[in-house]
Amino acid sequence: MSKQVKMGMLGLALVIPSFLVLFVIVVIPIVISLLESFKDKNGRYSFVNYEHLFTDKLMRSNIIFTLEVTIVSVVLVLIISYALAVYMRFNNGVAVRWIRRTYMIPIFIPSVIATYGLIQLLGNHGWLARILLQAFSVESMPRIIFDKKGIIIAQLWFNIPFTTMLLGSALSAVPNSVIESAKDVGAGFLRIFFKLILPLTFKTLLVAVTFVFMGVIGSFTAPFLIGPNAPQMLGVSMEQVFGVFQDKQMAAAIAFFTFLLCSFMGYFYIQNMIKEERSRSA
Amino acid sequence: MLRNKARVLFMIALSLTFGVLSACGGGASSGTSQGSGSDAKPASDNKSAPATASAKPAEFSFYFTGSQNVKDLWDTLIPMFEKATPDVKVKPVYVPSGTGAQPTYDRILAAKQAGKGSGDIDLYEDGVNYVTRGQKDDLWDTLGTDKIPNLAKVDQKIMKDVANLAVPYRSSAVILAYNGDKVKDAPTTLDELYDWIRKHPGKFAYNDPSTGGSGDSFVTTAIYKFLPEDAIHNSDPAIEKQWDQGFALLKDLGKYVYGKGIYPKKNQGTLDLLASGEVDMIPAWSDMVLDQINKGQLPKSTKMAQLKPGFNGGPTYLMVPKLSANKDAVAKFLNFILTPEAQSVIVTKMSGFPGIQLANMPQEVQDKFKDAAAGFRTFNIGDLGKDISKRWQSEVAAQ
C-alpha cells in the first residue's frame, strides 16, 4: 500500500465517527422533520403547511419579525464587538485592562437569569426607569421589555462576549510589523484599517456573522420571556405550535424553514472557505 | 483533495452542530421555564423506593407531572402512606411539567395496543383533558366506593363528569387577586370586572393563555360568558361558531389591559406585575397566590375574590389504567389520599383545595377557603382549549 493511500484511510477513519454522530443526531432528524412537514392533517403529503407558513398573516409577520431582529442584532453585535476588539488590540491602559477582565462575564451567566435581570433593569418600573426618574425626572421611557428592543438588547448581551473573543484572536494574529511598515510609508489609521486589518480578519468576521446569525435566529429564552405576544420569533412560535396547538407538522415546517435560513448562511460561509482553500493551494 | 473535503465536512459539522446545540438549548430552557418558574429538577425518583426483589410488599409505579410543588407534595404524602400501609410500596416517577405528560399517556396507550398491559404504569396524574382522552381510548378503570370507600366524600357531580374514571384528589381555582390597598370594592361579577378593567386602563393584566392556566381561564370565561351554561361541558367543535362575541370582547379589552395589550408569559408573569405594583388586579391560581403571600413574595395586602359565575378551576385527577396489574394496591393508596389527614397536607403544603368536599375537612381549612371556594366552575371542553389559544393568538394578540 502506498503511503498516500494509507494516509487517506487514516483520514477517513478519523472522519467517520464524527460523521456518524452527525448523521444520527442531525441528518436523520432533519430528514424526518422534512417529511413530517409535508404531511397534512390526514397524513397525506402536501404543501399545505408551507402554504400556511407563507400566507398566514400571523406566520408571515413572525418570519419578518425574526429576520428583522436577527439582522439588526447581527449588525449591532458585529459593530460593537469589532470596535471593542480593535480597541483592545491597539490600545493599552487601565480601560483596556478592565474591559479584558470583564467582557467575558455574560458568558458565565445562565440565560434565564440574565433575561430576568434585564426585565428587572429595563422593565416598566425597573431600575433604569427609577434612576432616570430620580436623577433627570424623565417621566416616560420607551417600552423596552415586551418589545423588539428588549430582545435585541438581550441578544447583544448574549453574543457580544463570544464574538469579541473570536475577533480579538483574529486581530492578535495581525502582525505588528505589517502595521508598522504601513505606518512607515505614511498610511493613516483608516487606510491601514481598511486595507490591512479588515481584509486580514475578514474570514473570522464571516465566522462570527454565521455564529451570531444562527444563535439569534434559534434563540428561545429571551424572546419567550421578553418578546411581545405577537409577532413572535420563530423559536417561540415553534414551541407554541408544537406544545400548545399540538400541530406537529406545522412545527416541523417552521423548524425546517429556520434550518433553511441557517443553512443558507452556512452555504456562503463554506463557499468562502473553499474559495480560500483553492487560492491557497493554487 | 481529501484534506479539502474533510475540512468542508468539518465545517458543515461545526455549523450544524452549533445550530442544533442552540436549538437544544432553546428546547431545554423551554422545559425549565414551563410550569411555575423553578421546576427544573430532574426526576430523582428511585431513591425512596428501591426495587425490592422479594415479592412481599406490593409495589406499583405512579407517574405524575407538574411543577416542583407537586413533587414536594408527593414527597410528603408517599412516605406517610407507606408508613401507614407497610404492605404497599409506591414507586413515584416524576415527569417535570413541559417535558412530557404526553409521552406518559402515549406509553400507556401504546402498551395497551401492543397487548402489554399498562406499560408498568399503575397510576397516573393529570388534568381533565387526559381523563376524557383516556375515556375515548378506553384506558381508565372505573372506580367505585367498594374498593375506595373514601370516594363517597368527593363531590359526586365531579365524579359524574368524568364517568367515575378518575379521582379528583385536589383542585385549585383561578381567582381574582388584587391589591387591597388600591382596590376598595372589588368586582363580584364578570360584567363588573370588565367595567373595572375599562375604568382603570393599564391596571389589569392576564397572561398569554397558551402559557398558563390563569390567563387561559380568563379567556375561556370571557368566551363562554355568551354561551349557554352547559356549554362548558361540551367538547363538540361545532360550538366554536358561537365564540365570536367573546373574542370581540377580549379584543376590546386589549386596549385597556396592561401596556395596551401586553400579556406576560406564564402564570408567574402576571403575579410578578402584581407584586411590583405595576398592575392592581390579575386572574391567578389560588394556590400560587396563597403560597406566595405566605412566603412574602406577594404583599400582605393582596386579596382574593371569586366572581359569580366563577372562573374555571379544576381538579387534578388520578387515573388507574384498566390493565394495571396492581389495582388493589393502588386502591389502598387512593383511599389514603382521600382521607382528611392526607388532604390536609395538600392544603398546608401547596395551598391547594382539598379534593374531598369541604364539610369533611377541619374547620380552619373550611375558613381558609371561604373566599376562593365559592363558585368556581369546572370546564370540560376537551381539545377545544387548543383552538381557543390558536384563535386568541391570531385575533387578540396580533390585533
Side-chain angles (χ1 to χ4, degrees):
Chain A
M1 236 187 279
S2 76
K3 196 179 173 218
Q4 212 177 358
V5 175
K6 262 189 199 155
M7 286 302 286
M9 280 170 65
L10 179 69
L12 273 179
L14 286 174
V15 168
I16 279 176
S18 65
F19 181 76
L20 275 182
V21 169
L22 189 74
F23 191 74
V24 171
I25 67 167
V26 178
V27 179
I28 293 177
I30 287 174
V31 172
I32 291 175
S33 66
L34 178 65
L35 291 179
E36 190 71 39
S37 71
F38 280 115
K39 279 184 191 156
D40 64 6
K41 290 268 175 307
N42 306 317
R44 277 191 297 267
Y45 286 94
S46 77
F47 282 100
V48 68
N49 291 317
Y50 288 94
E51 224 176 277
H52 181 77
L53 187 60
F54 297 117
T55 52
D56 183 52
K57 209 178 105 215
L58 195 65
M59 276 300 163
R60 231 173 29 204
S61 63
N62 287 349
I63 294 173
I64 294 168
F65 181 75
T66 308
L67 288 176
E68 253 173 41
V69 169
T70 309
I71 290 167
V72 172
S73 308
V74 169
V75 170
L76 286 179
V77 166
L78 284 183
I79 291 175
I80 296 173
S81 298
Y82 205 82
L84 211 59
V86 167
Y87 182 72
M88 286 199 293
R89 168 72 177 80
F90 297 108
N91 289 281
N92 261 317
V94 186
V96 170
R97 271 209 303 282
W98 274 103
I99 294 175
R100 203 164 274 152
R101 271 181 212 155
T102 51
Y103 83 100
M104 299 284 283
I105 289 176
I107 290 184
F108 301 106
I109 297 176
S111 58
V112 178
I113 292 173
T115 308
Y116 275 112
L118 281 174
I119 294 178
Q120 290 295 318
L121 176 68
L122 301 170
N124 206 359
H125 287 203
W127 299 342
L128 188 65
R130 268 176 271 162
I131 292 169
L132 285 179
L133 183 67
Q134 299 274 315
F136 309 102
S137 42
V138 179
E139 289 277 341
S140 70
M141 249 189 18
R143 183 170 293 289
I144 296 176
I145 297 301
F146 304 122
D147 190 89
K148 197 178 2 182
K149 294 190 267 314
I151 305 183
I152 293 174
I153 291 175
Q155 301 296 359
L156 295 184
W157 166 269
F158 293 132
N159 286 298
I160 283 176
F162 186 68
T163 316
T164 310
M165 196 173 75
L166 212 63
L167 292 170
S169 70
L171 281 167
S172 59
V174 176
N176 272 336
S177 57
V178 175
I179 293 160
E180 275 154 21
S181 53
K183 266 188 195 152
D184 289 343
V185 294
F189 179 75
L190 280 182
R191 204 180 159 93
I192 295 178
F193 181 76
F194 284 109
K195 293 274 167 179
L196 285 174
I197 299 173
L198 197 59
L200 280 172
T201 52
F202 185 69
K203 213 171 84 183
T204 314
L205 201 64
L206 214 64
V207 179
V209 171
T210 321
F211 273 36
V212 178
F213 183 88
M214 289 183 186
V216 174
I217 210 163
S219 59
F220 180 81
T221 314
F224 178 75
L225 288 172
I226 55 187
N229 298 90
Q232 301 161 306
M233 281 192 65
L234 284 177
V236 181
S237 170
M238 210 185 303
E239 193 271 339
Q240 193 185 42
V241 170
F242 184 80
V244 183
F245 308 158
Q246 292 176 6
D247 190 344
K248 205 167 135 200
Q249 293 84 10
M250 188 68 219
I254 304 175
F256 193 76
F257 178 66
T258 316
F259 167 73
L260 273 188
L261 288 176
C262 285
S263 50
F264 187 66
M265 246 359 247
Y267 172 77
F268 275 110
Y269 170 68
I270 291 167
Q271 196 74 355
N272 198 278
M273 290 294 146
I274 293 172
K275 232 191 288 169
E276 188 109 346
E277 196 79 3
R278 281 215 188 108
S279 64
R280 210 188 297 169
S281 57
Chain B
M1 185 56 211
L2 191 68
R3 207 167 79 91
N4 202 345
K5 214 175 209 165
R7 198 181 171 120
V8 172
L9 272 178
F10 172 67
M11 288 309 169
I12 298 175
L14 194 72
S15 50
L16 284 178
T17 322
F18 192 82
V20 165
L21 277 182
S22 62
C24 287
S29 47
S30 93
T32 36
S33 47
Q34 243 148 45
S36 51
S38 56
D39 50 15
K41 202 176 164 198
S44 60
D45 30 55
N46 293 329
K47 271 191 312 234
S48 52
T52 38
S54 59
K56 260 187 288 162
E59 192 184 50
F60 69 89
S61 41
F62 168 34
Y63 279 63
F64 63 97
T65 178
S67 299
Q68 186 64 34
N69 54 351
V70 179
K71 181 165 170 9
D72 291 344
L73 174 73
W74 289 118
D75 283 347
T76 318
L77 281 178
I78 289 170
M80 266 172 79
F81 167 71
E82 284 176 344
K83 211 168 154 197
T85 327
D87 57 334
V88 180
K89 279 248 170 291
V90 185
K91 189 178 156 208
V93 179
Y94 170 52
V95 186
S97 72
T99 53
Q102 173 84 28
T104 313
Y105 181 84
D106 287 347
R107 244 179 88 177
I108 304 175
L109 187 61
K112 187 193 165 191
Q113 283 164 350
K116 288 195 178 145
S118 64
D120 283 336
I121 299 168
D122 301 306
L123 184 63
Y124 174 52
E125 166 182 344
D126 213 320
V128 70
N129 284 345
Y130 285 93
V131 181
T132 33
R133 214 185 284 189
Q135 191 175 3
K136 271 187 233 148
D137 295 330
D138 193 26
L139 279 190
W140 311 131
D141 195 30
T142 309
L143 307 166
T145 42
D146 48 334
K147 273 194 188 164
I148 311 168
N150 280 335
L151 265 186
K153 294 185 187 145
V154 176
D155 186 349
Q156 293 308 309
K157 266 190 292 189
I158 302 178
M159 289 305 289
K160 221 180 109 199
D161 239 14
V162 296
N164 291 320
L165 292 173
V167 177
Y169 81 98
R170 67 175 164 95
S171 48
S172 50
V174 174
I175 42 84
L176 215 52
Y178 61 93
N179 180 340
D181 290 342
K182 297 233 182 91
V183 182
K184 286 302 166 214
D185 33 31
T188 54
T189 65
L190 278 173
D191 285 320
E192 279 178 41
L193 171 64
Y194 301 142
D195 249 15
W196 190 93
I197 297 172
R198 289 197 181 93
K199 279 190 196 133
H200 302 82
K203 287 294 175 194
F204 180 86
Y206 68 92
N207 64 300
D208 180 340
S210 66
T211 64
S214 60
D216 185 46
S217 173
F218 181 83
V219 168
T220 314
T221 309
I223 292 167
Y224 279 82
K225 173 182 186 310
F226 302 104
L227 269 65
E229 208 176 312
D230 56 351
I232 62 173
H233 299 291
N234 186 345
S235 54
D236 179 8
I239 209 165
E240 292 187 10
K241 284 193 214 83
Q242 302 173 46
W243 287 354
D244 297 350
Q245 215 179 339
F247 274 107
L249 170 73
L250 288 169
K251 237 178 188 170
D252 177 58
L253 288 177
K255 294 189 288 249
Y256 303 100
V257 300
Y258 173 67
K260 296 196 178 69
I262 285 176
Y263 310 93
K265 301 284 161 71
K266 315 184 65 54
N267 295 321
Q268 188 59 40
T270 39
L271 283 165
D272 287 343
L273 289 181
L274 184 68
S276 70
E278 285 192 61
V279 297
D280 293 334
M281 197 183 287
I282 58 168
W285 285 107
S286 53
D287 54 338
M288 291 179 84
V289 175
L290 286 168
D291 194 43
Q292 295 188 17
I293 294 174
N294 286 344
K295 288 184 183 151
Q297 287 161 325
L298 279 172
K300 288 267 176 267
S301 58
T302 310
K303 294 226 157 51
M304 301 197 301
Q306 181 57 283
L307 300 176
K308 248 179 169 103
F311 285 120
N312 66 340
T316 304
Y317 295 91
L318 293 169
M319 297 150 256
V320 187
K322 220 174 203 165
L323 302 170
S324 157
N326 297 312
K327 277 189 228 168
D328 289 333
V330 173
K332 279 185 197 159
F333 183 62
L334 291 177
N335 199 44
F336 165 78
I337 293 302
L338 295 174
T339 56
E341 297 79 60
Q343 292 287 318
S344 296
V345 175
I346 292 172
V347 174
T348 49
K349 193 91 194 163
M350 63 187 299
S351 302
F353 282 136
I356 57 178
Q357 285 184 302
L358 273 180
N360 298 309
M361 298 297 288
Q363 188 60 42
E364 45 174 342
V365 175
Q366 295 189 29
D367 290 344
K368 193 171 173 186
F369 288 109
K370 211 168 58 230
D371 292 338
F376 79 78
R377 297 182 292 171
T378 307
F379 282 61
N380 184 4
I381 56 172
D383 280 352
L384 295 186
K386 226 159 60 183
D387 293 335
I388 291 184
S389 308
K390 222 179 207 169
R391 198 164 153 191
W392 183 89
Q393 178 67 29
S394 63
E395 288 185 23
V396 181
Q399 64 177 310

